[in-house]
Amino acid sequence: MSIIAATALILISAILSVSFPLATYTFTLASFGLSHVLTELHYVDNRFRQRLENSLRFSISQLLLLIICFRSLQVFGLIPNWVSIPLELSCVIGLVIIVIPVLVKKDWRLGILGTVLCASIIVGLCWSATLTLLLFAILHNLTPIGFIAEKLRGKQRNVALLACGVVFILVPLVILSGLPTQFLSSIGFINLNASFFPVGELEFNLGVYVPPQLQNQAIAIPAFSAAVFLQSMHYVVVIGVLPKWENGYQSRIANSFFTWLVVFLSTLLFVSFTISFINSRAVYGIIAAVHAWVEIPILLLALVIPENSTMNTESLSKEQLIN
């Protein structure tokens, strides 16, 4: 993608996120939500699976299965949110805890990083589990920065991270300031409640990205718009960039099969969204939770285990882990 095309895509996404935040949120989620989840999971598996020993993969898988169970029980109304969310976050804490020993063997400072993250989630769980989950939903949109930093090297990485700073930090902050909303409103190019799906007005959907304490404040709509823009850029990188970096396909047929499978499943879910957006979003959230939470331990382990290496914490010496 050329610089001009990328810049145009970013500007258009920013304008649509501000002018038609609800329509942009619902359409991008229904159209690209599942495809981005499957693509991201495929990338993570293809790039990181061989670096982890079997016992660690098993532990991560077990915790993810628990998350699926808790989220499913909540979606189907078998347990309330105030029960499912703390249980889910407890599993996330477990995902961090199991990688801390590996981080410590690499560098005690990385061990501190993992411990601080673990402690932060515990504090968030005790303070407000719902708000903590909401915060992670927003921060998850920044994970492409981690994948880019892990993949690229040298000047190429520096340039890419600078671009990420503009796209994932600077532009959302400008939107959050409320100035774009005021400007587009002044020229009449704004419709906050427009949507392709019957989801009600924007005020009934603010809770997706805006905590209850802020929903009646002036910052609520700019905050929602900024989060929608981040979501859109997250989709762009995951669907448009990550697949180009994947290696290890056994054949073009395997790659083609995965692509068509993603298209087929995404089409089915899109139809489901047109029938019942709220229910479809809840079901989508089950698999979305898996792809979001698995990236926390994976990105932490990426600090320890370089590309083209296999981790074996029982046999590797300290020098090997450092290298």
Side-chain angles (χ1 to χ4, degrees):
M1 181 182 294
S2 68
I3 296 178
I4 295 177
T7 302
L9 177 61
I10 293 168
L11 288 176
I12 292 173
S13 297
I15 292 172
L16 291 178
S17 298
V18 174
S19 297
F20 313 102
L22 185 59
T24 303
Y25 162 70
T26 53
F27 179 77
T28 54
L29 179 65
S31 301
F32 306 111
L34 183 60
S35 59
H36 115 271
V37 167
L38 296 176
T39 301
E40 203 163 341
L41 284 172
H42 193 269
Y43 177 82
V44 168
D45 178 70
N46 191 53
R47 183 159 182 81
F48 297 100
R49 177 168 52 88
Q50 296 301 325
R51 305 190 203 180
L52 309 182
E53 64 177 11
N54 291 335
S55 61
L56 189 56
R57 288 204 301 267
F58 179 78
S59 298
I60 292 175
S61 298
Q62 294 304 302
L63 287 169
L64 291 176
L65 283 174
L66 284 175
I67 289 174
I68 292 174
C69 290
F70 296 143
R71 183 67 71 99
S72 299
L73 290 173
Q74 179 268 318
V75 166
F76 294 105
L78 299 177
I79 59 175
N81 288 349
W82 65 269
V83 173
S84 66
I85 294 177
L87 289 175
E88 183 172 330
L89 289 176
S90 297
C91 292
V92 177
I93 293 170
L95 288 172
V96 178
I97 290 176
I98 61 177
V99 303
I100 289 178
V102 184
L103 298 177
V104 172
K105 288 184 178 181
K106 167 67 175 181
D107 190 327
W108 62 270
R109 288 167 294 188
L110 294 178
I112 292 178
L113 172 64
T115 303
V116 170
L117 176 59
C118 183
S120 299
I121 301 174
I122 293 174
V123 171
L125 173 59
C126 297
W127 176 49
S128 175
T130 302
L131 184 59
T132 300
L133 190 67
L134 177 62
L135 180 61
F136 270 104
I138 297 173
L139 292 178
H140 168 72
N141 290 315
L142 302 179
T143 53
I145 300 176
F147 290 130
I148 289 171
E150 189 275 333
K151 172 66 177 180
L152 303 181
R153 296 291 182 272
K155 182 179 179 181
Q156 190 179 23
R157 176 165 64 178
N158 294 335
V159 172
L161 290 179
L162 178 60
C164 285
V166 173
V167 174
F168 288 95
I169 298 177
L170 180 59
V171 175
L173 286 177
V174 172
I175 295 176
L176 187 62
S177 71
L179 295 177
T181 301
Q182 295 176 14
F183 172 74
L184 291 172
S185 179
S186 67
I187 62 175
F189 191 68
I190 195 167
N191 188 337
L192 300 178
N193 296 316
S195 176
F196 297 99
F197 303 89
V199 293
E201 296 183 351
L202 177 61
E203 64 177 303
F204 301 118
N205 294 273
L206 288 175
V208 175
Y209 282 130
V210 182
Q213 300 89 329
L214 298 179
Q215 290 179 17
N216 293 323
Q217 305 298 319
I219 198 175
I221 293 176
F224 185 86
S225 297
V228 170
F229 172 77
L230 278 174
Q231 172 182 288
S232 301
M233 292 299 98
H234 180 94
Y235 291 172
V236 168
V237 175
V238 169
I239 298 174
V241 177
L242 296 189
K244 298 178 181 179
W245 290 347
E246 288 196 68
N247 298 312
Y249 289 114
Q250 294 182 354
S251 65
R252 292 184 178 180
I253 296 178
N255 187 14
S256 177
F257 174 78
F258 176 75
T259 300
W260 282 108
L261 178 63
V262 169
V263 171
F264 174 71
L265 294 177
S266 297
T267 302
L268 288 181
L269 188 61
F270 182 87
V271 173
S272 178
F273 270 112
T274 63
I275 298 173
S276 177
F277 187 90
I278 302 301
N279 292 333
S280 299
R281 181 175 61 186
V283 174
Y284 159 81
I286 298 174
I287 186 173
V290 174
H291 102 288
W293 295 133
V294 72
E295 291 169 2
I296 293 179
I298 288 297
L299 288 175
L300 286 174
L301 289 170
L303 298 171
V304 179
I305 313 166
E307 186 179 3
N308 298 324
S309 66
T310 302
M311 187 193 76
N312 188 326
T313 56
E314 295 178 357
S315 62
L316 287 181
S317 64
K318 181 178 180 181
E319 288 75 18
Q320 287 174 306
L321 284 170
I322 292 177
N323 294 328

